[in-house]
Amino acid sequence: MLTIKTIGQVLKEKRTSLGLDLSEAEQLTQVQKLYIVALETDDYKALPGDFYIKAYLKQYAEKLGLNADRIIQAYDEGKGITVEDKEDILENYHFVKPSERVEPEEEVPKTWRHYVPIISLSAAALLIVVGVFAAVIMNKPETPDLITNDYSYSKSEVSTSKSSTSSTKPSESSTKASSSAPEPTIVISGSSSAMIATISNISDPIKVDFSVAAGRTIWVGMTNSNVPATGQTLSDGANSLSALVTTGAENSVITLGSVEGLTITVNGKALDLSSLTTTGPNKITLQINRTTSNSAAQ
């Protein structure tokens, strides 16, 4: 049976038929996982540009054993691809083993003898409850006199006062610790299309803000964050993005289609992007050294 499918559907079905997950496909095709997801969902806006789209389609299709020229032609024409679907006659068949078959049980009429054990256990439980209740009533202690009550009340007040005093000390200590915590620092290394930003003395939550100048369109991807796996494109319609680094993550990789007209801040501190000089995709690795409780106390 012939059906028309999108390019993404053809790519994804071929990958799954080869038994490859996204990580294995990335190693086989040398195409980044986030770009594979974009290709298989036909989300071409998530890729840097038309040149990269065709290059990734060709490379991915050839590695999967597909006709790359046919894939590129379908992309240029904006059409789907006609493929033949083979119907699996076993798709809806479910075999039940004889040992797993459940035969309906014949209901046997219950006689009064069936309820004798339940009645006996209920009676025994009732006798135990009555016995315990009687023992509590008979051994109930006498009410203490006024002097004993006064002493207990005074002792309770002293304990409460000590507890309140001790509870205020950690609060004061934590206030002093937080006021003496060092400011976050950012050290930049690397150049060209890859940069490493080592961030020290920072604690969760870690917020990364992206802002694009007017007239610019830049695709942004970010691992270990709440940014979708397919990334997000910033332009005049939506020129800013706020992302949160996953709590406890030690690093996060930012992938950018371009850096021209882009501003990035981490918890309000700006990243120096001047070392990124290429016009193609750029990568920024955030190395995160969080503030520990010991350093904050010092």
Side-chain angles (χ1 to χ4, degrees):
M1 180 174 64
L2 297 179
T3 58
I4 298 177
K5 297 185 179 181
T6 66
I7 295 174
Q9 290 174 329
V10 173
L11 294 175
K12 185 174 182 179
E13 288 181 1
K14 182 63 176 179
R15 173 177 62 79
T16 54
S17 68
L18 295 175
L20 301 174
D21 59 22
L22 290 174
S23 298
E24 293 170 337
E26 183 180 41
Q27 294 179 357
L28 173 67
T29 64
Q30 297 301 308
V31 177
Q32 295 184 33
K33 189 189 300 183
L34 59 92
Y35 292 152
I36 291 177
V37 173
L39 293 175
E40 291 185 351
T41 56
D42 300 296
D43 184 12
Y44 301 121
K45 293 182 179 179
L47 281 84
D50 189 66
F51 172 80
Y52 292 99
I53 293 173
K54 291 183 179 180
Y56 290 143
L57 281 174
K58 180 178 176 63
Q59 182 174 348
Y60 192 40
E62 288 178 346
K63 292 294 184 179
L64 294 180
L66 294 171
N67 188 331
D69 294 334
R70 187 181 177 191
I71 297 290
I72 297 298
Q73 181 181 358
Y75 169 76
D76 288 333
E77 296 176 353
K79 297 180 180 179
I81 300 175
T82 303
V83 297
E84 182 178 358
D85 269 349
K86 296 181 179 179
E87 185 177 359
D88 189 356
I89 61 174
L90 299 178
E91 182 178 358
N92 298 319
Y93 180 78
H94 177 66
F95 177 75
V96 180
K97 298 179 181 178
S99 60
E100 297 175 350
R101 296 174 184 171
V102 179
E103 299 294 338
E105 298 181 357
E106 295 183 1
E107 186 175 354
V108 180
K110 297 179 181 178
T111 63
W112 64 273
R113 290 187 178 87
H114 175 78
Y115 300 98
V116 171
I118 299 175
I119 296 173
S120 300
L121 291 175
S122 300
L126 181 60
L127 288 175
I128 293 173
V129 172
V130 171
V132 172
F133 181 76
V136 171
I137 294 298
M138 295 177 64
N139 294 284
K140 184 178 180 180
E142 297 181 357
T143 303
D145 56 19
L146 184 60
I147 296 176
T148 304
N149 282 340
D150 290 342
Y151 173 76
S152 299
Y153 178 75
S154 300
K155 187 175 182 181
S156 175
E157 284 187 337
V158 173
S159 300
T160 304
S161 176
K162 289 182 179 180
S163 176
S164 300
T165 302
S166 62
S167 65
T168 58
K169 290 182 179 180
S171 176
E172 294 174 358
S173 175
S174 63
T175 302
K176 292 179 181 179
S178 62
S179 63
S180 60
E183 288 291 327
T185 60
I186 301 176
V187 178
I188 303 297
S189 61
S191 60
S192 186
S193 62
M195 185 180 86
I196 299 176
T198 302
I199 308 172
S200 303
N201 301 323
I202 195 168
S203 58
D204 292 315
I206 300 174
K207 181 181 179 184
V208 181
D209 291 309
F210 301 85
S211 179
V212 175
R216 300 294 303 171
T217 299
I218 298 177
W219 179 87
V220 176
M222 185 173 178
T223 64
N224 290 334
S225 72
N226 60 344
V227 176
T230 56
Q232 185 169 332
T233 301
L234 304 181
S235 61
D236 289 341
N239 63 351
S240 63
L241 169 66
S242 293
L244 290 176
V245 177
T246 303
T247 301
E250 296 180 354
N251 60 71
S252 177
V253 178
I254 300 172
T255 305
L256 305 169
S258 173
V259 295
E260 186 176 352
L262 178 66
T263 301
I264 303 177
T265 62
V266 180
N267 280 10
K269 281 188 169 291
L271 286 183
D272 183 3
L273 306 179
S274 60
S275 60
L276 298 174
T277 57
T278 61
T279 57
N282 295 271
K283 181 182 292 184
I284 301 174
T285 301
L286 302 182
Q287 295 288 355
I288 302 170
N289 298 324
R290 287 176 173 75
T291 303
T292 62
S293 57
N294 292 335
S295 64
Q298 295 174 356

